[in-house]
Amino acid sequence: MNTSDVTKEGIRGERPGREAITGAADVVGEEQRRRRGGRGRRGETTRVPDAEFRSYYGKPIINQIVWEAPDVGGYLFLGGLAGASSVLAAGAELTGRPDLARPLKYAALGAISGSTAALIHDLGRPERFLNMLRVFKPTSPMSVGSWTLMAYGPLAGVAAVTSATGWFPRIGRAATLGAAAVGPLVATYTAPLVCDTAVPSWHDGYRYMPFVFAASAVSAAGGMGLATAPLAQSGPARRAAVGGALVETAVSSAMEYRMGLSGEPYRRGRAGAFVRTAKALTLAGAAGAVLGRRSRTASALSGAALLAGSACTRLGVFHAGKQSAADPKYTVVPQRRRLAEREAEGEAASAPPARGPGD
Protein backbone atom coordinates (compact mmCIF):
# COMPACT_ATOMS: atom_id res chain seq x y z
CA MET A 1 0.00 0.00 0.00
CA ASN A 2 1.38 3.42 -0.98
CA THR A 3 1.19 6.42 1.33
CA SER A 4 -0.85 8.18 -1.32
CA ASP A 5 -3.59 5.65 -0.70
CA VAL A 6 -4.11 7.04 2.81
CA THR A 7 -6.51 9.97 3.04
CA LYS A 8 -8.16 11.79 5.94
CA GLU A 9 -11.25 9.61 5.41
CA GLY A 10 -9.15 6.45 5.73
CA ILE A 11 -7.53 4.09 3.23
CA ARG A 12 -8.52 4.79 -0.35
CA GLY A 13 -10.86 2.10 -1.69
CA GLU A 14 -11.56 0.62 1.74
CA ARG A 15 -15.20 0.04 2.54
CA PRO A 16 -16.48 -0.36 6.12
CA GLY A 17 -17.40 -3.93 6.92
CA ARG A 18 -15.58 -5.37 3.90
CA GLU A 19 -13.34 -7.46 6.14
CA ALA A 20 -16.45 -9.03 7.55
CA ILE A 21 -17.30 -10.31 4.11
CA THR A 22 -14.01 -11.33 2.54
CA GLY A 23 -11.60 -11.45 5.48
CA ALA A 24 -11.52 -13.24 8.79
CA ALA A 25 -15.26 -13.22 9.33
CA ASP A 26 -15.97 -15.70 6.58
CA VAL A 27 -17.46 -19.11 6.96
CA VAL A 28 -14.25 -20.62 8.30
CA GLY A 29 -14.11 -18.01 11.02
CA GLU A 30 -17.75 -18.63 11.80
CA GLU A 31 -17.10 -22.34 12.21
CA GLN A 32 -14.08 -21.68 14.42
CA ARG A 33 -16.01 -19.27 16.64
CA ARG A 34 -18.81 -21.75 16.96
CA ARG A 35 -16.40 -24.44 18.20
CA ARG A 36 -14.71 -22.01 20.59
CA GLY A 37 -17.94 -20.82 22.14
CA GLY A 38 -18.10 -17.53 20.25
CA ARG A 39 -14.58 -16.36 21.14
CA GLY A 40 -11.52 -15.46 19.13
CA ARG A 41 -8.24 -17.24 18.62
CA ARG A 42 -6.90 -16.51 22.16
CA GLY A 43 -10.18 -16.55 23.98
CA GLU A 44 -11.11 -12.89 23.48
CA THR A 45 -14.59 -12.00 22.37
CA THR A 46 -14.74 -11.29 18.64
CA ARG A 47 -15.84 -7.81 17.57
CA VAL A 48 -16.43 -8.55 13.90
CA PRO A 49 -20.08 -9.51 13.37
CA ASP A 50 -21.03 -12.64 11.47
CA ALA A 51 -21.74 -11.86 7.86
CA GLU A 52 -23.47 -13.57 5.01
CA PHE A 53 -21.07 -14.95 2.41
CA ARG A 54 -20.62 -13.02 -0.83
CA SER A 55 -18.04 -13.59 -3.54
CA TYR A 56 -15.93 -10.84 -5.05
CA TYR A 57 -18.45 -8.52 -6.71
CA GLY A 58 -20.95 -11.40 -6.59
CA LYS A 59 -19.30 -13.14 -9.55
CA PRO A 60 -19.87 -16.90 -10.08
CA ILE A 61 -17.03 -19.22 -9.12
CA ILE A 62 -17.49 -21.94 -11.74
CA ASN A 63 -18.38 -21.90 -15.42
CA GLN A 64 -22.08 -21.40 -16.03
CA ILE A 65 -24.33 -24.07 -17.55
CA VAL A 66 -24.98 -23.23 -21.19
CA TRP A 67 -27.27 -26.18 -21.95
CA GLU A 68 -30.90 -25.44 -22.78
CA ALA A 69 -33.63 -26.86 -20.53
CA PRO A 70 -35.83 -28.33 -23.32
CA ASP A 71 -32.90 -30.20 -24.88
CA VAL A 72 -31.21 -31.50 -21.74
CA GLY A 73 -34.44 -32.00 -19.80
CA GLY A 74 -35.93 -33.92 -22.71
CA TYR A 75 -32.73 -35.92 -23.13
CA LEU A 76 -32.74 -36.95 -19.47
CA PHE A 77 -36.46 -37.77 -19.34
CA LEU A 78 -36.81 -39.59 -22.66
CA GLY A 79 -33.74 -41.73 -22.09
CA GLY A 80 -35.10 -42.90 -18.76
CA LEU A 81 -38.53 -43.62 -20.26
CA ALA A 82 -36.99 -45.61 -23.11
CA GLY A 83 -34.77 -47.82 -20.96
CA ALA A 84 -37.44 -48.65 -18.39
CA SER A 85 -40.08 -49.25 -21.08
CA SER A 86 -37.87 -51.88 -22.71
CA VAL A 87 -37.45 -53.70 -19.41
CA LEU A 88 -41.19 -53.64 -18.74
CA ALA A 89 -41.96 -54.69 -22.33
CA ALA A 90 -39.69 -57.73 -22.05
CA GLY A 91 -41.35 -58.78 -18.80
CA ALA A 92 -44.80 -58.36 -20.37
CA GLU A 93 -43.82 -60.44 -23.39
CA LEU A 94 -42.35 -63.23 -21.28
CA THR A 95 -45.51 -63.39 -19.15
CA GLY A 96 -47.94 -63.47 -22.08
CA ARG A 97 -49.16 -59.85 -22.11
CA PRO A 98 -48.71 -58.78 -25.75
CA ASP A 99 -51.10 -55.83 -25.50
CA LEU A 100 -48.87 -54.35 -22.79
CA ALA A 101 -45.56 -55.26 -24.45
CA ARG A 102 -46.43 -53.82 -27.88
CA PRO A 103 -47.10 -50.16 -26.93
CA LEU A 104 -44.13 -50.16 -24.58
CA LYS A 105 -41.87 -51.22 -27.45
CA TYR A 106 -43.23 -48.37 -29.55
CA ALA A 107 -42.73 -45.97 -26.65
CA ALA A 108 -39.14 -47.14 -26.18
CA LEU A 109 -38.28 -46.55 -29.84
CA GLY A 110 -39.96 -43.15 -29.92
CA ALA A 111 -38.37 -42.05 -26.64
CA ILE A 112 -34.83 -43.08 -27.54
CA SER A 113 -35.18 -41.37 -30.92
CA GLY A 114 -36.34 -38.18 -29.23
CA SER A 115 -33.59 -38.41 -26.62
CA THR A 116 -30.89 -38.79 -29.27
CA ALA A 117 -32.35 -35.93 -31.30
CA ALA A 118 -32.38 -33.67 -28.22
CA LEU A 119 -28.75 -34.53 -27.50
CA ILE A 120 -27.65 -33.83 -31.07
CA HIS A 121 -29.61 -30.56 -31.13
CA ASP A 122 -27.94 -29.45 -27.90
CA LEU A 123 -24.51 -30.29 -29.31
CA GLY A 124 -25.24 -27.93 -32.21
CA ARG A 125 -23.86 -30.09 -35.03
CA PRO A 126 -24.60 -33.79 -35.68
CA GLU A 127 -20.96 -34.58 -36.36
CA ARG A 128 -20.13 -33.80 -32.73
CA PHE A 129 -22.15 -36.82 -31.68
CA LEU A 130 -20.33 -38.97 -34.23
CA ASN A 131 -16.99 -37.65 -32.98
CA MET A 132 -17.79 -39.05 -29.53
CA LEU A 133 -17.86 -42.51 -31.09
CA ARG A 134 -14.28 -42.28 -32.32
CA VAL A 135 -13.00 -43.58 -28.98
CA PHE A 136 -14.39 -45.50 -26.03
CA LYS A 137 -13.39 -44.15 -22.63
CA PRO A 138 -14.77 -46.14 -19.68
CA THR A 139 -14.03 -43.33 -17.23
CA SER A 140 -16.19 -40.86 -19.20
CA PRO A 141 -19.96 -41.09 -18.62
CA MET A 142 -20.57 -39.27 -21.90
CA SER A 143 -18.44 -41.74 -23.86
CA VAL A 144 -20.11 -44.73 -22.20
CA GLY A 145 -23.52 -43.17 -22.74
CA SER A 146 -22.89 -42.50 -26.43
CA TRP A 147 -21.92 -46.10 -27.06
CA THR A 148 -24.84 -47.30 -24.97
CA LEU A 149 -27.24 -45.32 -27.15
CA MET A 150 -25.66 -46.80 -30.27
CA ALA A 151 -26.11 -50.33 -28.92
CA TYR A 152 -29.61 -49.78 -27.57
CA GLY A 153 -31.18 -47.87 -30.46
CA PRO A 154 -31.06 -50.65 -33.10
CA LEU A 155 -32.30 -53.23 -30.59
CA ALA A 156 -35.26 -51.05 -29.64
CA GLY A 157 -35.95 -50.39 -33.32
CA VAL A 158 -35.95 -54.06 -34.31
CA ALA A 159 -38.14 -54.94 -31.32
CA ALA A 160 -40.72 -52.29 -32.27
CA VAL A 161 -40.73 -53.02 -36.03
CA THR A 162 -41.06 -56.79 -35.66
CA SER A 163 -43.84 -56.30 -33.13
CA ALA A 164 -45.74 -54.01 -35.51
CA THR A 165 -45.31 -56.20 -38.61
CA GLY A 166 -45.25 -59.67 -37.13
CA TRP A 167 -42.15 -60.54 -39.16
CA PHE A 168 -39.29 -62.59 -37.76
CA PRO A 169 -40.78 -63.19 -34.30
CA ARG A 170 -37.67 -64.94 -32.98
CA ILE A 171 -35.45 -62.06 -34.00
CA GLY A 172 -37.97 -59.70 -32.48
CA ARG A 173 -37.96 -61.52 -29.16
CA ALA A 174 -34.15 -61.58 -29.11
CA ALA A 175 -34.07 -57.84 -29.80
CA THR A 176 -36.65 -57.27 -27.05
CA LEU A 177 -34.54 -59.14 -24.52
CA GLY A 178 -31.39 -57.38 -25.71
CA ALA A 179 -33.01 -53.96 -25.33
CA ALA A 180 -34.16 -54.97 -21.85
CA ALA A 181 -30.59 -55.95 -20.93
CA VAL A 182 -29.21 -52.56 -22.01
CA GLY A 183 -32.26 -50.63 -20.81
CA PRO A 184 -31.22 -50.12 -17.16
CA LEU A 185 -27.96 -48.53 -18.26
CA VAL A 186 -29.81 -46.25 -20.69
CA ALA A 187 -32.20 -45.20 -17.91
CA THR A 188 -29.51 -44.39 -15.33
CA TYR A 189 -26.24 -43.42 -17.03
CA THR A 190 -27.38 -39.80 -17.20
CA ALA A 191 -27.18 -39.62 -13.39
CA PRO A 192 -23.37 -40.05 -13.24
CA LEU A 193 -23.20 -37.87 -16.36
CA VAL A 194 -24.54 -34.85 -14.44
CA CYS A 195 -22.94 -35.79 -11.11
CA ASP A 196 -19.47 -36.02 -12.66
CA THR A 197 -19.28 -32.21 -12.82
CA ALA A 198 -18.33 -29.32 -10.54
CA VAL A 199 -21.97 -28.19 -10.29
CA PRO A 200 -22.70 -28.38 -6.53
CA SER A 201 -26.35 -29.45 -6.63
CA TRP A 202 -25.48 -32.23 -9.05
CA HIS A 203 -22.14 -33.40 -7.75
CA ASP A 204 -23.14 -33.54 -4.08
CA GLY A 205 -26.12 -35.77 -4.90
CA TYR A 206 -24.04 -38.55 -6.45
CA ARG A 207 -25.07 -41.05 -3.78
CA TYR A 208 -28.77 -40.58 -4.51
CA MET A 209 -29.12 -39.37 -8.09
CA PRO A 210 -28.89 -42.82 -9.80
CA PHE A 211 -31.69 -44.13 -7.59
CA VAL A 212 -33.81 -41.03 -8.24
CA PHE A 213 -33.34 -41.39 -11.99
CA ALA A 214 -34.01 -45.14 -11.95
CA ALA A 215 -37.19 -44.80 -9.89
CA SER A 216 -38.38 -41.89 -12.01
CA ALA A 217 -37.82 -43.94 -15.17
CA VAL A 218 -39.76 -46.90 -13.74
CA SER A 219 -42.70 -44.70 -12.74
CA ALA A 220 -42.73 -43.13 -16.22
CA ALA A 221 -42.69 -46.53 -17.95
CA GLY A 222 -45.43 -47.74 -15.63
CA GLY A 223 -47.42 -44.63 -16.46
CA MET A 224 -46.99 -45.31 -20.17
CA GLY A 225 -48.26 -48.84 -19.65
CA LEU A 226 -51.29 -47.58 -17.74
CA ALA A 227 -52.08 -45.07 -20.46
CA THR A 228 -51.81 -47.52 -23.38
CA ALA A 229 -52.59 -51.08 -22.21
CA PRO A 230 -56.00 -52.62 -21.48
CA LEU A 231 -56.94 -53.11 -17.84
CA ALA A 232 -56.69 -56.89 -18.09
CA GLN A 233 -52.97 -56.74 -18.89
CA SER A 234 -51.88 -53.58 -17.05
CA GLY A 235 -51.07 -55.23 -13.70
CA PRO A 236 -47.25 -55.15 -14.06
CA ALA A 237 -47.35 -51.55 -15.27
CA ARG A 238 -49.54 -50.57 -12.31
CA ARG A 239 -47.18 -52.14 -9.80
CA ALA A 240 -44.14 -50.56 -11.49
CA ALA A 241 -45.85 -47.17 -11.49
CA VAL A 242 -46.75 -47.24 -7.80
CA GLY A 243 -43.41 -48.68 -6.65
CA GLY A 244 -41.36 -46.30 -8.78
CA ALA A 245 -43.39 -43.29 -7.66
CA LEU A 246 -42.98 -44.06 -3.96
CA VAL A 247 -39.26 -44.77 -4.22
CA GLU A 248 -38.67 -41.67 -6.33
CA THR A 249 -40.48 -39.41 -3.86
CA ALA A 250 -38.73 -40.87 -0.83
CA VAL A 251 -35.21 -40.87 -2.27
CA SER A 252 -35.47 -37.43 -3.86
CA SER A 253 -36.70 -35.94 -0.57
CA ALA A 254 -33.84 -37.59 1.30
CA MET A 255 -31.35 -36.32 -1.26
CA GLU A 256 -32.55 -32.72 -0.98
CA TYR A 257 -32.15 -32.58 2.79
CA ARG A 258 -29.06 -34.73 3.27
CA MET A 259 -27.09 -32.73 0.72
CA GLY A 260 -27.15 -29.79 3.13
CA LEU A 261 -26.56 -26.38 1.59
CA SER A 262 -26.23 -27.70 -1.96
CA GLY A 263 -29.70 -29.24 -1.65
CA GLU A 264 -31.23 -25.83 -1.07
CA PRO A 265 -31.78 -25.01 -4.79
CA TYR A 266 -34.15 -27.99 -5.03
CA ARG A 267 -36.52 -26.06 -2.76
CA ARG A 268 -36.14 -22.58 -4.28
CA GLY A 269 -36.81 -20.73 -7.50
CA ARG A 270 -37.71 -22.48 -10.72
CA ALA A 271 -36.10 -25.72 -9.60
CA GLY A 272 -38.22 -25.76 -6.45
CA ALA A 273 -41.38 -25.19 -8.51
CA PHE A 274 -40.54 -28.13 -10.79
CA VAL A 275 -39.65 -30.40 -7.87
CA ARG A 276 -42.87 -29.62 -5.98
CA THR A 277 -44.91 -30.14 -9.14
CA ALA A 278 -43.14 -33.43 -9.79
CA LYS A 279 -43.92 -34.75 -6.33
CA ALA A 280 -47.56 -33.68 -6.54
CA LEU A 281 -48.06 -35.28 -9.96
CA THR A 282 -46.16 -38.44 -9.05
CA LEU A 283 -48.08 -39.05 -5.84
CA ALA A 284 -51.38 -38.20 -7.52
CA GLY A 285 -50.57 -40.63 -10.32
CA ALA A 286 -49.67 -43.38 -7.86
CA ALA A 287 -52.89 -42.82 -5.92
CA GLY A 288 -54.93 -42.87 -9.13
CA ALA A 289 -53.22 -46.07 -10.24
CA VAL A 290 -54.33 -47.78 -7.04
CA LEU A 291 -57.82 -46.30 -6.68
CA GLY A 292 -58.68 -46.34 -10.36
CA ARG A 293 -57.50 -49.82 -11.23
CA ARG A 294 -60.98 -50.75 -12.54
CA SER A 295 -61.42 -47.62 -14.65
CA ARG A 296 -59.76 -47.25 -18.02
CA THR A 297 -60.10 -43.46 -17.91
CA ALA A 298 -58.65 -43.18 -14.39
CA SER A 299 -55.74 -45.41 -15.37
CA ALA A 300 -54.98 -43.29 -18.43
CA LEU A 301 -55.09 -40.07 -16.41
CA SER A 302 -52.86 -41.59 -13.73
CA GLY A 303 -50.39 -42.65 -16.39
CA ALA A 304 -50.32 -39.15 -17.87
CA ALA A 305 -49.69 -37.67 -14.40
CA LEU A 306 -46.81 -40.07 -13.80
CA LEU A 307 -45.24 -39.22 -17.15
CA ALA A 308 -45.53 -35.50 -16.46
CA GLY A 309 -44.16 -35.96 -12.94
CA SER A 310 -41.10 -37.81 -14.24
CA ALA A 311 -40.44 -35.05 -16.77
CA CYS A 312 -40.73 -32.40 -14.04
CA THR A 313 -38.27 -34.34 -11.88
CA ARG A 314 -35.61 -34.17 -14.58
CA LEU A 315 -36.30 -30.48 -15.23
CA GLY A 316 -36.09 -29.79 -11.50
CA VAL A 317 -32.69 -31.46 -11.34
CA PHE A 318 -31.51 -29.45 -14.34
CA HIS A 319 -32.61 -26.10 -12.94
CA ALA A 320 -31.25 -26.90 -9.46
CA GLY A 321 -27.83 -27.42 -11.00
CA LYS A 322 -28.12 -24.20 -12.97
CA GLN A 323 -29.10 -22.22 -9.88
CA SER A 324 -26.27 -23.66 -7.77
CA ALA A 325 -23.69 -22.88 -10.46
CA ALA A 326 -24.87 -19.27 -10.64
CA ASP A 327 -24.64 -18.63 -6.87
CA PRO A 328 -21.01 -18.81 -5.62
CA LYS A 329 -21.97 -19.62 -2.03
CA TYR A 330 -22.92 -23.18 -3.01
CA THR A 331 -19.35 -23.71 -4.20
CA VAL A 332 -17.28 -21.81 -1.63
CA VAL A 333 -19.17 -22.25 1.65
CA PRO A 334 -19.00 -26.09 1.68
CA GLN A 335 -15.31 -25.92 0.74
CA ARG A 336 -14.55 -23.64 3.67
CA ARG A 337 -16.56 -25.77 6.04
CA ARG A 338 -14.63 -28.85 5.01
CA LEU A 339 -11.38 -26.91 5.48
CA ALA A 340 -12.47 -25.83 8.97
CA GLU A 341 -13.36 -29.43 9.85
CA ARG A 342 -9.95 -30.66 8.71
CA GLU A 343 -8.25 -27.95 10.74
CA ALA A 344 -10.27 -28.94 13.79
CA GLU A 345 -9.33 -32.59 13.30
CA GLY A 346 -5.66 -31.62 12.99
CA GLU A 347 -5.80 -29.57 16.19
CA ALA A 348 -7.44 -32.44 18.04
CA ALA A 349 -4.83 -34.91 16.79
CA SER A 350 -1.91 -32.66 17.79
CA ALA A 351 -3.26 -31.84 21.25
CA PRO A 352 -1.38 -33.56 24.11
CA PRO A 353 -3.27 -36.37 25.86
CA ALA A 354 -5.12 -35.51 29.04
CA ARG A 355 -3.30 -36.40 32.26
CA GLY A 356 -4.96 -38.51 34.91
CA PRO A 357 -4.76 -38.07 38.71
CA GLY A 358 -1.88 -40.55 38.95
CA ASP A 359 0.30 -38.94 36.26
Side-chain angles (χ1 to χ4, degrees):
M1 180 179 65
N2 298 325
T3 56
S4 59
D5 293 332
V6 180
T7 66
K8 63 179 180 179
E9 290 82 13
I11 299 175
R12 189 189 306 274
E14 185 180 55
R15 287 177 289 174
R18 180 173 177 81
E19 67 279 7
I21 297 174
T22 59
D26 55 10
V27 176
V28 177
E30 181 181 351
E31 292 290 332
Q32 292 173 343
R33 288 194 298 276
R34 178 179 59 80
R35 293 196 304 270
R36 293 166 178 158
R39 296 184 174 274
R41 183 177 300 275
R42 297 183 179 177
E44 70 275 7
T45 302
T46 57
R47 297 182 179 180
V48 179
D50 294 340
E52 182 181 355
F53 169 79
R54 293 206 307 260
S55 69
Y56 192 68
Y57 291 115
K59 295 295 184 181
I61 301 298
I62 62 177
N63 292 333
Q64 297 303 283
I65 296 173
V66 296
W67 301 331
E68 297 295 333
D71 288 337
V72 175
Y75 166 62
L76 298 177
F77 164 66
L78 292 173
L81 173 61
S85 294
S86 290
V87 175
L88 193 56
E93 182 161 309
L94 292 175
T95 56
R97 294 180 172 87
D99 292 336
L100 174 61
R102 190 178 306 110
L104 287 174
K105 293 179 185 179
Y106 302 158
L109 176 59
I112 199 61
S113 300
S115 178
T116 305
L119 174 61
I120 292 175
H121 184 265
D122 183 72
L123 291 173
R125 295 198 301 268
E127 59 267 22
R128 289 179 177 173
F129 177 77
L130 298 177
N131 288 338
M132 291 190 292
L133 301 176
R134 297 173 63 182
V135 296
F136 177 73
K137 189 176 180 181
T139 57
S140 170
M142 179 59 78
S143 177
V144 173
S146 300
W147 281 100
T148 299
L149 292 178
M150 290 299 298
Y152 173 81
L155 293 172
V158 171
V161 170
T162 54
S163 180
T165 61
W167 300 342
F168 310 110
R170 292 184 179 179
I171 295 177
R173 171 163 286 201
T176 299
L177 297 178
V182 185
L185 185 59
V186 174
T188 57
Y189 88 89
T190 48
L193 179 64
V194 298
C195 291
D196 189 27
T197 63
V199 178
S201 291
W202 291 348
H203 176 77
D204 293 348
Y206 71 93
R207 290 187 177 91
Y208 305 93
M209 201 75 74
F211 299 99
V212 173
F213 277 28
S216 178
V218 170
S219 67
M224 180 63 72
L226 290 176
T228 56
L231 292 176
Q233 297 189 12
S234 64
R238 196 176 307 277
R239 290 188 287 273
V242 175
L246 295 179
V247 172
E248 176 190 353
T249 303
V251 178
S252 62
S253 298
M255 179 183 73
E256 295 165 20
Y257 287 94
R258 292 187 178 181
M259 284 170 61
L261 181 64
S262 55
E264 187 178 83
Y266 289 95
R267 302 186 292 274
R268 295 186 175 184
R270 183 173 294 184
F274 273 115
V275 170
R276 289 189 295 272
T277 303
K279 291 180 180 179
L281 289 171
T282 300
L283 292 177
V290 174
L291 300 176
R293 58 184 178 276
R294 296 182 180 179
S295 170
R296 185 72 186 82
T297 302
S299 295
L301 291 175
S302 299
L306 289 166
L307 286 165
S310 179
C312 287
T313 294
R314 309 305 174 101
L315 288 171
V317 170
F318 173 80
H319 284 290
K322 195 168 186 178
Q323 291 171 199
S324 69
D327 193 334
K329 76 175 182 180
Y330 297 116
T331 301
V332 177
V333 170
Q335 292 178 345
R336 294 184 174 180
R337 284 178 176 169
R338 289 191 292 268
L339 177 61
E341 290 172 0
R342 286 196 294 268
E343 289 179 352
E345 293 174 357
E347 292 175 2
S350 61
R355 294 179 177 273
D359 292 341

